[in-house]
Amino acid sequence: MELSLNETVVDVKSQTQSLIESKTAKVVLFVVLAFAFCGLSYAGSDDGALGDIWAYMSESLTGAPGKIMAAAMLFSSVYFSIVKPNPGMALISAFMMLVMANGEKIISTFMDAGVPL
């Protein structure tokens, strides 16, 4: 007598279950949730609760901490491009150096964005 494990088991998924597991459905769900949570947050002209945060970030990026971070990114981009070649880390360091150098402009652009009503 032989024991055979060649039983064909068909796993039938419902249409709803296959839709939930698809990558397209996850992307659509993410976009819908992003619009639901962010749709009502419009940037206005008054500072409100974000005024203190903006002042702190602006001061940090234009003051000594921002300059120290930008210098550290400059040194790390030189280190990763010449001393110990790693093109990925060199590009990331150079990009972060540019972000730190222009951080105030970037944040002010986001903070001053608004929807004309």
Side-chain angles (χ1 to χ4, degrees):
M1 181 172 168
E2 291 183 20
L3 181 62
S4 176
L5 296 176
N6 283 334
E7 298 289 327
T8 57
V9 177
V10 178
D11 187 21
V12 178
K13 293 183 181 179
S14 68
Q15 192 174 18
T16 307
Q17 186 179 6
S18 63
L19 178 66
I20 290 172
E21 292 177 358
S22 71
K23 193 177 285 188
T24 306
K26 291 177 183 175
V27 170
V28 169
L29 180 65
F30 174 75
V31 170
V32 167
L33 289 176
F35 278 121
F37 286 115
C38 300
L40 298 176
S41 60
Y42 298 114
S45 61
D46 95 28
D47 288 341
L50 298 177
D52 296 334
I53 296 171
W54 163 239
Y56 176 75
M57 290 296 290
S58 176
E59 182 180 325
S60 295
L61 289 173
T62 58
K67 292 177 183 175
I68 292 170
M69 291 284 289
M73 291 298 149
L74 175 66
F75 293 141
S76 70
S77 66
V78 169
Y79 175 77
F80 284 120
S81 64
I82 296 172
V83 178
K84 186 178 179 183
N86 186 345
M89 290 299 289
L91 288 174
I92 290 171
S93 297
F95 175 73
M96 289 306 296
M97 178 186 62
L98 292 174
V99 167
M100 290 301 295
N102 298 313
E104 183 185 10
K105 294 176 191 171
I106 293 169
I107 291 176
S108 66
T109 302
F110 284 119
M111 293 289 282
D112 294 338
V115 177
L117 298 173

